[in-house]
Amino acid sequence: MQVTAMRRWVARHDRFRDALPAMALMVVAVGAAAAGDSGWHAPRAAGVAWTALSCVPLVFRSRRPLAVVVLTLAVDLTAMAVVPDRVSTPAASLVAVYTLATRSDRRTAWTVGALAAVAVTGVYAATHEEPLLVGTSLLRLDFMIAATALGDAVRSRRLHLARVEARADRAERTRETEARRRVTEERVRIARELHDVVAHHITLVNAQAGVAHHLMRTDPDRAYEALAHIKETSRAALDELRATVGLLRQPDDAPDSRSPLPGLADLDALVGGFRAGGLSVTVTRTGLVRPVAPATDLTAYRIVQESLTNTHKHARAAHADVLLDYGDSTLRVTVADDGHPQAARAAGTGHGLIGMRERATAIGGSLTAGRDPGGGFTVVAELPLSLTPATA
């Protein structure tokens, strides 16, 4: 805990952090000056003084890295010329070059590092009368190049880690956005299912109750039959509501209330309910009848259900035709009725028609609806028989 707290404190105090290498260099310089001697001699003392002077600019190495390189290099080169028997490596310049490499672009770092290496090697060789690329002269060249390379490697690693963190943050935000989008889409889908189920079955129950009320005194047997249809319709409504709401259950909930969603295989039962409510419905299938994608199956069923529900509620129609035309790649669903031309129903308006259009569009299809010139109302949906991964 104490080490962690100390690191945090140092990270918050830039000046102290920048001065740490200078302190370490001073300790090394004093130790080197005192080694092997009982006292201080002028050359050694002068070397310590020059080292201290070169370390002063390091306090600003994070804020002005290039200026610090110039200052420390100037002091170290001057020390080589003034105190030629000073054999210590220009450590302050190495720290400054390293810092510059960690905080600048690669081109600047290597240009300054190479110039510093040549300058240090040349001055040292000239003041010590040694060949340029041999012995300790070459060692100082290697030190300066190594400091530049180390700083460049540290900069590259920091940049890589920053990019990785940025990608991780972006991926996390993307996942959250995608999750919210999926939740919204699922809510809309479930709301649409609930609307279709409730509107359809309540419409049938209302129609059958009206029939039962009308026939109760004149024809009790038919009234009783209408009441039986009301019972069947309400039970079907409860089953579909239970199946739809079951989608909201948690994975560990009991699955007994979940049942398959309806499809075109259930179309006869759907039409039977409308016929029992007094609406004559004819179903025709053309083309090669074959299984369709589950999403298309449910969408086609819901479009027929909603269209017949609207016909029964709004159009005052006596008859409706349902046509399922199986093409090569599309299923064309047509629902036409003979409703009164003055019926209060506007093409393309109302939640039912909007929901049907959204359903068709969601799986890559289309839907049109409108009044017929001679009276009645027609809904036409073009739905894909199979779905691509983008629409599945």
Side-chain angles (χ1 to χ4, degrees):
M1 291 293 294
Q2 293 180 351
V3 175
T4 303
M6 179 61 70
R7 288 179 178 176
R8 291 177 179 175
W9 186 88
V10 171
R12 292 195 302 267
H13 296 78
D14 295 343
R15 292 288 182 84
F16 182 80
R17 183 187 62 206
D18 290 347
L20 285 178
M23 298 176 186
L25 291 178
M26 285 304 304
V27 172
V28 173
V30 171
D37 264 302
S38 57
W40 292 92
H41 293 282
R44 292 179 181 268
V48 173
W50 280 106
T51 300
L53 184 60
S54 66
C55 287
V56 171
L58 294 180
V59 179
F60 305 95
R61 63 191 180 94
S62 294
R63 298 186 179 184
R64 298 288 188 272
L66 183 58
V68 170
V69 170
V70 174
L71 291 175
T72 56
L73 194 60
V75 174
D76 282 332
L77 294 178
T78 303
M80 288 182 187
V82 174
V83 191
D85 60 342
R86 175 175 175 261
V87 297
S88 60
T89 303
S93 296
L94 293 178
V95 174
V97 168
Y98 163 82
T99 303
L100 177 67
T102 61
R103 294 180 175 272
S104 64
D105 59 277
R106 178 166 294 172
R107 181 177 180 180
T108 300
W110 280 105
T111 299
V112 174
L115 292 175
V118 171
V120 170
T121 304
V123 171
Y124 184 86
T127 56
H128 291 75
E129 298 180 355
E130 290 186 3
L132 186 62
L133 297 178
V134 296
T136 54
S137 298
L138 183 60
L139 184 62
R140 279 154 177 76
L141 177 69
D142 293 340
F143 281 165
M144 198 62 70
I145 296 299
T148 304
L150 179 60
D152 183 59
V154 171
R155 180 193 60 79
S156 298
R157 177 169 176 77
R158 289 175 181 172
L159 182 60
H160 173 70
L161 291 177
R163 288 174 177 172
V164 170
E165 292 178 358
R167 285 198 298 268
D169 292 340
R170 186 165 56 253
E172 184 66 24
R173 289 194 299 270
T174 301
R175 283 195 295 270
E176 292 176 358
T177 302
E178 180 66 16
R180 287 194 295 268
R181 185 187 66 80
R182 289 181 179 274
V183 168
T184 301
E185 289 181 351
E186 186 66 11
R187 287 174 176 173
V188 171
R189 188 183 69 82
I190 293 174
R192 190 185 298 128
E193 291 288 336
L194 290 174
H195 169 271
D196 291 347
V197 170
V198 172
H200 163 65
H201 289 291
I202 293 301
T203 297
L204 289 184
V205 167
N206 180 70
Q208 291 161 354
V211 172
H213 181 269
H214 179 71
L215 298 176
M216 183 61 70
R217 296 184 179 183
T218 59
D219 194 343
D221 292 337
R222 289 189 60 191
Y224 181 81
E225 184 180 347
L227 292 174
H229 284 303
I230 291 175
K231 180 180 179 181
E232 292 296 325
T233 301
S234 60
R235 185 174 63 200
L238 289 175
D239 291 340
E240 287 202 42
L241 284 174
R242 190 178 295 114
T244 303
V245 176
L247 298 174
L248 301 175
R249 291 181 178 272
Q250 298 296 327
D252 55 351
D253 288 344
D256 54 353
S257 62
R258 302 181 188 179
S259 60
L261 292 174
L264 294 176
D266 305 298
L267 195 58
D268 291 339
L270 174 68
V271 170
F274 283 104
R275 288 169 179 163
L279 177 65
S280 174
V281 182
T282 301
V283 179
T284 305
R285 295 176 175 85
T286 60
L288 179 60
V289 179
R290 56 194 184 277
V292 300
T296 300
D297 195 34
L298 175 61
T299 300
Y301 177 89
R302 291 302 189 198
I303 288 175
V304 173
Q305 181 187 58
E306 181 65 22
S307 298
L308 293 178
T309 300
N310 287 343
T311 295
H312 208 286
K313 287 172 60 177
H314 304 296
R316 301 201 296 271
H319 182 77
D321 290 307
V322 177
L323 173 63
L324 302 179
D325 182 16
Y326 290 80
D328 295 334
S329 59
T330 60
L331 171 64
R332 184 182 179 91
V333 180
T334 304
V335 181
D337 62 48
D338 60 354
H340 195 278
Q342 301 301 321
R345 179 173 58 178
T349 62
H351 294 293
L353 290 173
I354 293 174
M356 287 192 290
R357 189 170 288 112
E358 288 177 349
R359 282 183 179 277
T361 303
I363 63 171
S366 62
L367 183 140
T368 59
R371 294 191 183 93
D372 297 329
F377 198 84
T378 301
V379 175
V380 180
E382 296 278 353
L383 308 176
L385 288 175
S386 59
L387 303 185
T388 61
T391 57

